[in-house]
């Protein structure tokens, strides 16, 4: 069911890099996929992967790192690269590979919660209609991780909605999350996801996770207290 921003205290939370460490899971998916496709590199180290992850905003971009055919000069402006048919094919294969790996008992070992997850967990239980998860990760995998940690949460919007609307901002706008009486809070570790929300939401840039932090980025404690205060406003 589509959640409308009828309340005035909405919070839009990212998953990867905000609530959970997930780089090992994503790295394992890419490595497993590379083993099955001869056009993909099999020598990408975890260090290279993490450095690249800092600039990434969508799963198809992992092909820029793994492709044997592309010579990527720099990682600081991935947004300038226009995806082609093979990039989108890689993305489809990526999520199919994840689906396969999700059936194994070891899959959940690739996730570790940040401290803020334990902080906001009571808020997610107490305010289920005020909080949404908006992620470029597929919703089913988020739901499985949440359930593993004892959380049953309905408002998860993942890669499927991202593909439909093209960006987190466009998804939020089309789902009427930005039309409330009060600006929602939007939390993300990737600045590129937050920039379009300027003027429409109160953007909180996480200083943890996979993005590049600066003097305006906030700590987990600061973000939690801001969310808590926002939800308490009458």
């Amino acid at each position: 069911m589509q959640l409308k921003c009828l309340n005035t205290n909405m919070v839009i939370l990212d998953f990867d890099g905000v609530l959970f460490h997930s780089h090992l899971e994503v790295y394992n998916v890419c490595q497993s996929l590379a083993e099955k496709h001869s056009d993909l590199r099999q020598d990408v180290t975890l260090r290279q992967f993490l450095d690249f992850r800092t600039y990434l905003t969508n799963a198809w971009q992992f092909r820029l790192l793994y492709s044997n055919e592309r010579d990527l000069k720099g990682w600081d402006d991935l947004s300038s690269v226009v995806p082609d048919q093979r990039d989108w094919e890689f993305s489809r294969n990526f999520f199919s590979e994840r689906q396969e790996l999700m059936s194994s008992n070891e899959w959940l070992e690739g996730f570790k919660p940040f401290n803020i997850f334990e902080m906001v967990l009571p808020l997610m239980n107490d305010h289920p209609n005020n909080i949404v998860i908006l992620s470029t990760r597929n919703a089913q995998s988020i739901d499985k991780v949440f359930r593993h940690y004892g959380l049953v949460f309905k408002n998860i919007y993942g890669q499927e909605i991202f593909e439909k609307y093209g960006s987190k901002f466009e998804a939020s706008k089309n789902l009427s999350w930005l039309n409330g009486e009060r600006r929602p809070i939007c939390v993300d570790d990737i600045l590129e996801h937050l920039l379009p929300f300027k003027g429409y939401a109160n953007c909180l840039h996480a200083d943890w996770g996979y993005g590049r932090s600066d003097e305006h980025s906030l700590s987990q404690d600061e973000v939690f207290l801001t969310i808590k205060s926002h939800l308490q406003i009458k």
Side-chain angles (χ1 to χ4, degrees), residues 10-23 26 53-54 56-59 98 111-118 120-121 124 130-139 141-143 145-146 151 153 155-159 161-162 167-169 172 177 184-194 197 202-212 220 223 227:
M10 189 172 188
V11 178
I12 304 170
L13 286 175
D14 186 28
F15 179 84
D16 299 89
V18 170
L19 297 180
F20 278 83
H21 266 303
S22 59
H23 62 276
V26 182
R53 179 69 180 83
T54 300
L56 180 131
T57 58
N58 198 302
R98 170 176 283 161
F111 299 89
K112 301 297 179 187
F114 287 104
N115 290 337
I116 194 171
F117 175 69
E118 302 296 334
V120 301
L121 186 55
M124 295 176 73
N130 297 73
I131 300 174
V132 298
I133 302 299
L134 182 60
S135 172
T136 57
R137 169 182 289 275
N138 55 315
S141 67
I142 296 174
D143 178 65
V145 174
F146 278 170
L151 174 63
F153 194 76
N155 294 324
I156 301 173
Y157 296 80
Q159 179 68 18
I161 208 76
F162 190 87
S167 71
K168 290 188 174 185
F169 173 72
S172 299
W177 295 348
I185 281 179
C186 187
V187 184
D188 210 297
D189 63 317
I190 304 299
L191 188 58
E192 287 77 6
H193 285 313
L194 288 175
F197 284 92
N202 295 323
C203 299
L204 307 184
H205 185 225
D207 72 355
W208 66 98
Y210 307 118
R212 303 176 302 284
Q220 296 183 58
V223 169
I227 293 173

Side-chain angles (χ1 to χ4, degrees), residues 16 22-23 25-31 33-34 40-41 44 48-68 70 72 75 78 87 90-91 94-95 98 136-137 210:
D16 299 89
S22 59
H23 62 276
E25 186 269 347
V26 182
Y27 180 65
N28 288 338
V29 172
C30 288
Q31 292 293 102
L33 190 60
L40 298 178
R41 294 172 53 195
V44 176
Q48 290 175 322
F49 182 89
L50 288 174
D51 288 343
F52 183 83
R53 179 69 180 83
T54 300
Y55 299 94
L56 180 131
T57 58
N58 198 302
W60 70 262
Q61 293 170 326
F62 280 123
R63 185 172 177 271
L64 302 176
L65 176 64
Y66 275 85
S67 176
N68 281 317
R70 271 185 164 139
L72 190 62
W75 296 349
L78 296 182
D87 294 325
F90 175 92
S91 181
F94 174 91
F95 289 107
R98 170 176 283 161
T136 57
R137 169 182 289 275
Y210 307 118

Side-chain angles (χ1 to χ4, degrees), residues 206-225:
D207 72 355
W208 66 98
Y210 307 118
R212 303 176 302 284
S213 61
D214 58 28
E215 68 273 13
H216 302 294
S217 305
L218 301 176
S219 69
Q220 296 183 58
D221 287 334
E222 290 172 320
V223 169
F224 167 70
L225 290 174

